[in-house]
Amino acid sequence: MNEPAQDPAFRNPALSPAERVDDLLGRLTLDEKIGLLHQYQAPVERLGLRPFRTGTEALHGLAWHGPATVFPQAIGLASTWNPDLVRRVGEATGDEVVAFHHKDPQSVGRNVWAPVVNPLRDPRWGRNEEGYSEDPWLTGVMGTAYAGGLRGGHSVLKTAPTLKHFLGYNNETDRCVTSSGLPPRVLHEYELKAFRPAVESGAAVAVMPSYNLVNGRPAHLSPLIASHLRAWAPDDILVVSDAYAPGNLAGMQGYHKDLPEAYAHAIKAGLDSFTQDDADTATTLGHIRTALGRGLLTEADIDAAARHALSIRVRLGEFDPATPYDDITQDVVNRPEHQRLAREAARQSITLLKNDGLLPLTAPRTVAVIGPLADALFEDWYSGTLPYQVTALTGLAERCETVYHEGVDRVALRTEGGYVGASADPAGGPLHVGGERSCFDVFDWGGGAFAFRSCANGRHVAAGEDGVLVNDQPGPSGWEVRQTFRIEERPRGVVLRNISSGRYVTVADGVVRTTDDPDAASVLSVELVESGAARAAEAAAQADVAIVVLGDHPLVNGRETEDRTTLALPERQEALLKAVHAANPATVLVVSSGYPFAVTWAQEHLPAIVWSAHGGQEYGHALAAVLLGDDDPGGRLTQTWYRSAAELPDLLDYDIVASDATYLYYRGRPLYPFGHGLSYTRFAYSDLELSSADLAEGDTLTVRVTVTNAGEHVGEEVVQVYTHQRRSRVKQPLRQLRGFVKVRLAPGESRTVSVDVPVADLAFWDVTRGRFVVEDAAHKVQVGASSGDIRLCAPFRVRGERIPPRDLTSGPLDAADHDEYDGVVLCDAALDSGDAVRSSSPGSWIAFRDCDFGEGHSADGGLSACVLAVSSDEGGVVTLRLDDPLNGEVAGAVSVPPTVSRHDFVEVSTPLAGAAGVRDLYVVYESEGVTVSGLGFLMGLRP
């Protein structure tokens, strides 16, 4: 009698994932394994392996696949300061991903590309809305919560969350060719700190590198993928490329001479899945096969990448007879529980920035609801399709009598040949020029970007691919936003320039279209038909209170591919606000945006200001509940709001320590500090207690404080605990968030809360020894309602290490491990690993503090010479000075010869003169374009 055939081991859920992957990998041919290295993984029909697709967008709800629950943007979710709520949003999103996957498994994969854990270093970043906070620890907390919800609580993954974007990515300007300079402290204390928690906890099981370069090396080739990401992870992690980024390696980045060489390097560095050429896998896989044929890759390299891809699929339960998620159906999509969750998330994200007592509104008879965002909800690029919309107007109109005005100008555009006209057909049509006046509503989205909505049919004007202007769009939309224009002054009027194409608007044969020729642009006279500000002011004057809803359009002037250049409100929006306030001083500004605005005029003149991110489908209900006092505003800022972009460093300056950036180092007075957010009640802090005032490494400090609702409303407070190290060898943060507790208290109610701070968390990166260190030092606990509203403080001491002087005899100094610098850039020392320092101008320098030269060079020995590893296209001179880069004693100098390439380092040496004891060593670049990777010191006898 024949025994029944047994399933292969990879289909046996009783075995460990590693055993199952081993079995499956051993059954695949080399070509089948190569087929797993693309976003669209090839099926293996002989083994029953279905096609597998990476990359379903799920940043704040499932995106791009039709109506699904839309939650507040990620920055809004973080503003709740409620990790459990964020986790529940992740769980709901994961359920909806699975439901859509069951409906269409080929289009909706379960490898989700979320969350984004890039710290929000600069509020001008176009993708600010996608992240959580400028604080890396808080980013890690929220990222872990959301990813944990997405993956589910079972050993079988519900979805496979992917952290984006590794590493040092906060600019859209030239993002594929700019290099983010990350000194060691910034790398370890700021950037990596945001990624580690979700990876280390297993909440995230995949990572996507970023488009940019880091210290001169493309992030997709980063050695940190192997040395850090994979070292942190408890299981295999999948590393997926960003879209079309692999092609950049031999394209615009020019890091390799051709794609087979580039792809070989990427795979060796740890890239497992190529998101390239959409579903066309042949070209990418062909380059990988070519790399194998050249000997640039081995089958073992292919196996390593394929293993990571298969590990995710095994852990998703793809090869199991059943999973815990098989019963999830379309019924979960936008179900009532998810709608209530969306509303609660929106409510807790709403942040009260200012209140002179106008809020909450008490039984207003009439509310004027005004502004271009008053009756609109917008979808961002990574948003789902809204299943329904509750706008601010809708939410308030359900509760009280309202009057409404959009507050935008209505104009007519006249050319020499007549008026620009538009079709009244609901489907739109080409704009034309004729004798009949047609009107357009003008929307100012800031940064010089304007949109025109035709009054004839209520549709926005777009420049079609053929250049013809058509009024057929619901608003700015799409990857290429073709519905926005710049208004440029000319002597006899204005011309319009389409932002997407860069082409000018002209009239040809009576049809309005675009042209590349600026001299052929049609000069337009703009006739004001109706002033939006004036009409809005009239509406406001009739009401008890005016609610003005302003902000950004998430696809315009601050989005993927486009950074902002200013923090100001759009000019016409601010003019509208001023007009309304002049008509009715009881004006509330409601800002709906994915990033901070410098609302300095409003802060000075208005009685109340509220902010939230774009809040999803339930935004209007949540906003109305807060404005009318049903709920306390639960949000707190996770970013500093500055008064002006002038207070920020250069957008491409990633060194937050040297540039005094973020709340950690900023020394100015911000408009609103990190952690800021008001309540309708007052909270008193008392009885601050520390578990100990004297701690050692390995200990945990417990901070306890009592919080009392001293007001008359039920309210929510976020109790924030910061620390500051008072003495240090290095520049320390002015304050650093260590923990928080969100509490809801009735009037008169008190609660004692506690936050644990492991002493290990007080460590910083010691560049002298290349590791984290807890320094022997005095510290201060700061407890309060925000980083700028500290209520109680207490001192404590940590018995840690004393960082000794640099021992120059113990080994060479890496140039990148300097303490300070001026006029240099960090760059790659070699293609695969290592950093170096290149001068950008003559007189640049790097400093190594507290170098121990011993007794100096004597007849008995001592340090006799310094050997520098250098490269330069044209050669140059490097001088070693003691204690000062300009006037310090010269200890030596070297001539740098021209080298073959930037990675062709040669060693040059100089005798050391006058260097004894502990001194500061300055490496001064007398020439531009010289690179130093390291310094070594030789012992020797005087001849």
Side-chain angles (χ1 to χ4, degrees), residues 154-356:
H154 197 278
S155 59
V156 176
L157 300 175
K158 181 191 298 183
T159 71
T162 303
L163 297 186
K164 303 194 299 186
H165 312 82
F166 191 78
L167 185 72
Y169 174 40
N170 284 130
N171 64 278
E172 298 304 294
T173 305
D174 299 327
R175 64 179 179 174
C176 293
V177 295
T178 56
S179 177
S180 304
L182 302 182
R185 285 194 63 199
V186 177
L187 172 67
H188 291 279
E189 297 175 30
Y190 193 69
E191 293 287 344
L192 293 176
K193 189 175 181 178
F195 284 83
R196 183 169 185 167
V199 173
E200 197 167 52
S201 67
V205 298
V207 175
M208 176 188 288
S210 50
Y211 283 114
N212 54 285
L213 299 88
V214 176
N215 296 352
R217 182 180 297 106
H220 279 69
L221 306 179
S222 174
L224 298 168
I225 294 172
S227 65
H228 287 70
L229 291 177
R230 292 212 152 100
W232 295 335
D235 297 297
D236 287 329
I237 60 170
L238 176 70
V239 178
V240 301
S241 85
D242 210 336
Y244 285 82
N248 293 339
L249 298 172
M252 63 179 70
Q253 291 173 343
Y255 204 75
H256 283 285
K257 63 183 180 182
D258 60 27
L259 288 176
E261 181 182 283
Y263 288 5
H265 187 174
I267 290 171
K268 285 178 173 290
L271 185 64
D272 306 312
S273 178
F274 288 73
T275 313
Q276 184 73 36
D277 300 327
D278 297 322
D280 178 10
T281 66
T283 303
T284 296
L285 301 185
H287 290 314
I288 294 173
R289 294 187 185 99
T290 299
L292 274 164
R294 290 187 193 172
L296 301 174
L297 287 171
T298 67
E299 186 168 357
D301 297 320
I302 302 298
D303 285 353
R307 174 180 296 278
H308 299 141
L310 292 174
S311 176
I312 297 300
R313 296 175 66 172
V314 166
R315 288 151 61 198
L316 281 167
E318 179 181 338
F319 310 122
D320 294 358
T323 77
Y325 317 110
D326 291 345
D327 294 334
I328 295 177
T329 68
Q330 285 293 113
D331 291 341
V332 307
V333 177
N334 191 39
R335 62 181 178 176
E337 294 89 342
H338 291 183
Q339 295 174 11
R340 288 193 292 271
L341 182 60
R343 181 171 179 170
E344 180 61 14
R347 198 278 297 174
Q348 290 200 36
S349 74
I350 292 173
T351 306
L352 183 60
L353 301 179
K354 179 185 180 181
N355 188 23
D356 287 346

Side-chain angles (χ1 to χ4, degrees), residues 697-718:
E697 295 187 61
D699 289 347
T700 294
L701 172 68
T702 299
V703 181
R704 294 184 182 86
V705 67
T706 298
V707 185
T708 302
N709 184 340
E712 298 177 352
H713 298 271
V714 174
E716 291 180 338
E717 177 71 316
V718 178

